[in-house]
Amino acid sequence: MDHKIDNSNRFKVHTFGCKVNTYDTGLLQKNMQNNGFSVAEGEPRIHVLNTCAVTAEATKEAVRSIRRLKVRDPFCTVVVTGCAAQVDTGAFENLPGADLVIANSHKGQLPTLLRKYFNGELNEKVFRSNIFKKEDLEMGGGVEKSHTRTFLKIQDGCNSFCTYCIIPYARGKSRSIPMANLVARVNELYAEGVREVVLTGVHIGDYEDAMFGQTKTMEDLVETLLAKTHMPRFRLSSLEPIELSDRLLELYQDDKMCPHFHMSIQSANTDVLANMKRKYTQKDVIDSLSKIYKRLRNPFVGMDVIVGFPTETHEQFEDTFLTLADLPWTKIHVFPYSERPGTRAAGFTESVIPQQKQLRASRLRDLSLQRFETMGRAQIDTHKKVLVLKRSAKGGQALSRDYWPVQIIGADDFIESWSGQEIDVRITNYDHSNKAHMEGHLLGMVLT
Ligand code: SF4
């Protein structure tokens, strides 16, 4: 086939999976644009699939998307990249609709490889090598719906190898962006109008920067960003219980640190945690959640919990359920265990039958829903500082420091021009229908 078709440079990136992938999409787009490709306004000629591999289903979803794209436009070019391209290469290698497979190990070379492909200079379809040898880490990118908030990737990869997780095989060992570069980038983002930065990564607790013979950690990074930038709001993406150090909590005494935590707990039973190869125990889970509420006023605490892990017995689930029911938090994101081929847990002989898994998931989801509603209603009559977003997100036009979406009432004519400003509101209502959000009325004056 002659690949030198006209308009071949119009592309679209389709993003699957997590926030880190969303961030990487921004990076891919910039890289493509800097190399003569342009983002398609209408129908693209090139589709880049930035895939996810967290479950086997995620890979199947990418395969289905490729088939759909080729049915709609048989002459388009489909490039598969991302985590599934790295760990499930076989699913795409012989798939006729996938024209190029560029794994995470080769992601940075995507425009060059695509150019060569169109010039007929490539003899191979798959570009993949040992991800554990990848040392570099590109920065810049970051895509969020609202330009008043941005995700900033501080590291990639993970050194933990939890038994259920494929991510280290897809993204390699932990690599971090140097602190000085991150300070400079946050200052640039501030100049561009960003007023909230979410520090994100595959495992941000692994953050490390070796400077002048000294290793700097995530706490050092947070401290430096607070001291050397004007960014008014920072959040951290997921943390494990043992990563919530006293020093980190001390840094949260700074008003710029939003009192919002996403705790990667996964279970509250010590034996299940050991089988998952997590490095903490039930006591650490209890201590970390208790510490947050002791040190901070009115925090928002979300948690990830897996139910139906292969070795999880009825008693162990009950232990997790009762332990969590007794602890302070705001919301649980419940994940029924999904077997991921290639992981150690996929080789475990034990398993939890699907009905049990669903039962456990729905019990925990009910617990979460009740708690979330109670916590939501408890916000009525409180005062909050909210950041007005460029576009409405999750049911609100504004986001409070403690992560509640807020609809500002009686300000429709002005709200657009307040985008990027923090304003004070009094919460007057909590609406649980559809997208749960607060309603707030303005307090005091705002400069427009
Ligand atoms: S910490 Fe565990 S679950 Fe998280 S990315 Fe690393 S291996 Fe996966």
Side-chain angles (χ1 to χ4, degrees):
M1 191 199 291
D2 180 13
H3 298 305
K4 290 180 193 168
I5 36 179
D6 63 336
N7 287 327
S8 59
N9 67 351
R10 283 185 284 123
F11 75 95
K12 178 176 176 180
V13 185
H14 305 258
T15 314
F16 299 80
C18 64
K19 292 287 182 205
V20 181
N21 241 20
T22 307
Y23 186 88
D24 287 352
T25 288
L27 202 63
L28 277 171
Q29 269 171 0
K30 269 194 198 156
N31 199 3
M32 294 279 284
Q33 284 169 303
N34 290 342
N35 285 283
F37 295 89
S38 55
V39 175
E41 297 284 331
E43 195 56 29
R45 299 300 306 146
I46 306 163
H47 293 273
V48 179
L49 273 67
N50 191 13
T51 59
C52 165
V54 75
T55 59
E57 187 50 37
T59 300
K60 286 186 196 148
E61 176 56 29
V63 170
R64 284 195 290 270
S65 296
I66 294 168
R67 291 201 176 113
R68 275 198 298 269
L69 288 170
K70 284 287 177 162
V71 166
R72 219 173 57 201
D73 177 4
F75 299 106
C76 71
T77 301
V78 172
V79 184
V80 190
T81 188
C83 295
Q86 185 73 40
V87 296
D88 280 334
T89 323
F92 308 104
E93 207 165 1
N94 299 316
L95 189 73
D99 298 299
L100 269 179
V101 182
I102 300 177
N104 276 343
S105 56
H106 287 66
K107 220 173 185 174
Q109 298 168 35
L110 196 142
T112 314
L113 290 171
L114 203 47
R115 193 57 76 206
K116 285 186 175 170
Y117 171 76
F118 285 125
N119 289 337
E121 295 168 11
L122 291 184
N123 298 322
E124 300 151 68
K125 170 174 169 176
V126 176
F127 294 84
R128 175 185 183 273
S129 61
N130 185 348
I131 191 74
F132 295 106
K133 292 204 170 133
K134 190 169 159 71
E135 297 287 346
D136 62 318
L137 180 60
E138 305 88 332
M139 75 170 292
V143 182
E144 240 289 59
K145 286 198 182 70
S146 149
H147 295 298
T148 37
R149 301 182 70 222
T150 289
F151 286 85
L152 180 64
K153 187 161 108 179
I154 62 168
Q155 68 82 239
D156 201 339
C158 178
N159 298 332
S160 289
F161 295 92
C162 301
T163 54
Y164 57 86
C165 182
I166 196 76
I167 298 300
Y169 306 94
R171 291 190 168 265
K173 61 182 191 295
S174 180
R175 288 104 58 213
S176 305
I177 301 211
M179 244 163 57
N181 298 13
L182 291 169
V183 169
R185 184 66 192 138
V186 169
N187 281 325
E188 275 168 24
L189 289 167
Y190 182 78
E192 287 165 19
V194 172
R195 292 296 178 265
E196 182 178 307
V197 168
V198 186
L199 303 180
T200 191
V202 168
H203 187 173
I204 62 169
D206 276 349
Y207 181 87
E208 263 188 14
D209 180 14
M211 286 174 80
F212 314 115
Q214 263 192 317
T215 302
K216 300 288 181 185
T217 61
M218 181 183 55
E219 285 100 329
D220 295 313
L221 171 67
V222 170
E223 190 173 44
T224 307
L225 288 173
L226 290 172
K228 293 196 172 169
T229 73
H230 294 293
M231 192 58 69
R233 312 205 326 179
F234 286 100
R235 285 179 210 275
L236 296 183
S237 65
S238 330
L239 293 171
E240 290 185 12
I242 42 172
E243 289 160 359
L244 199 76
S245 64
D246 288 341
R247 182 173 169 217
L248 189 63
L249 274 172
E250 190 57 38
L251 293 168
Y252 271 86
Q253 302 305 314
D254 190 314
D255 210 28
K256 291 179 190 167
M257 291 304 291
C258 294
H260 163 216
F261 298 83
H262 188 125
M263 300 302 293
S264 179
I265 300 265
Q266 310 309 352
S267 170
N269 175 270
T270 299
D271 294 328
V272 173
L273 288 168
N275 286 333
M276 289 176 167
K277 207 171 156 278
R278 304 288 285 179
K279 295 179 189 126
Y280 51 90
T281 62
Q282 181 181 77
K283 184 177 178 307
D284 296 313
V285 172
I286 297 172
D287 287 353
S288 65
L289 295 178
S290 314
K291 254 191 330 194
I292 294 175
Y293 283 82
K294 215 158 126 195
R295 300 288 304 272
L296 300 173
R297 208 170 52 87
N298 207 20
F300 185 110
V301 180
M303 283 186 294
D304 288 344
V305 176
I306 295 175
V307 293
F309 184 74
T311 59
E312 186 187 62
T313 63
H314 172 72
E315 289 72 26
Q316 288 168 339
F317 170 74
E318 285 302 314
D319 186 32
T320 289
F321 184 89
L322 294 173
T323 305
L324 293 181
D326 250 7
L327 285 168
W329 44 265
T330 319
K331 191 175 187 173
I332 302 178
H333 306 270
V334 182
F335 298 94
Y337 171 77
S338 161
E339 186 180 296
R340 177 55 258 202
T343 59
R344 271 185 54 206
F348 288 0
T349 45
E350 304 92 329
S351 70
V352 176
I353 57 167
Q355 293 90 326
Q356 265 306 320
K357 216 187 287 181
Q358 287 315 324
L359 200 67
R360 291 177 196 178
S362 70
R363 280 191 60 207
L364 214 48
R365 281 188 184 126
D366 286 349
L367 177 72
S368 173
L369 211 65
Q370 278 171 20
R371 177 76 63 90
F372 189 68
E373 243 185 285
T374 311
M375 300 291 273
R377 295 197 198 292
Q379 309 302 311
I380 296 175
D381 272 341
T382 59
H383 291 184
K384 292 192 188 296
K385 263 196 188 313
V386 300
L387 178 69
V388 181
L389 305 174
K390 202 153 188 176
R391 293 185 206 109
S392 74
K394 279 183 157 190
Q397 310 128 322
L399 187 68
S400 72
R401 289 186 170 233
D402 51 0
Y403 205 56
W404 292 99
V406 178
Q407 195 76 32
I408 299 159
I409 305 296
D412 295 0
D413 295 344
F414 312 103
I415 201 79
E416 275 284 308
S417 57
W418 294 348
S419 153
Q421 290 197 53
E422 262 200 323
I423 56 177
D424 293 307
V425 294
R426 184 169 72 87
I427 301 300
T428 45
N429 192 18
Y430 169 71
D431 186 345
H432 201 75
S433 62
N434 193 11
K435 291 177 177 173
H437 65 276
M438 310 275 159
E439 287 174 4
H441 280 77
L442 194 61
L443 286 169
M445 294 286 291
V446 173
L447 297 174
T448 56

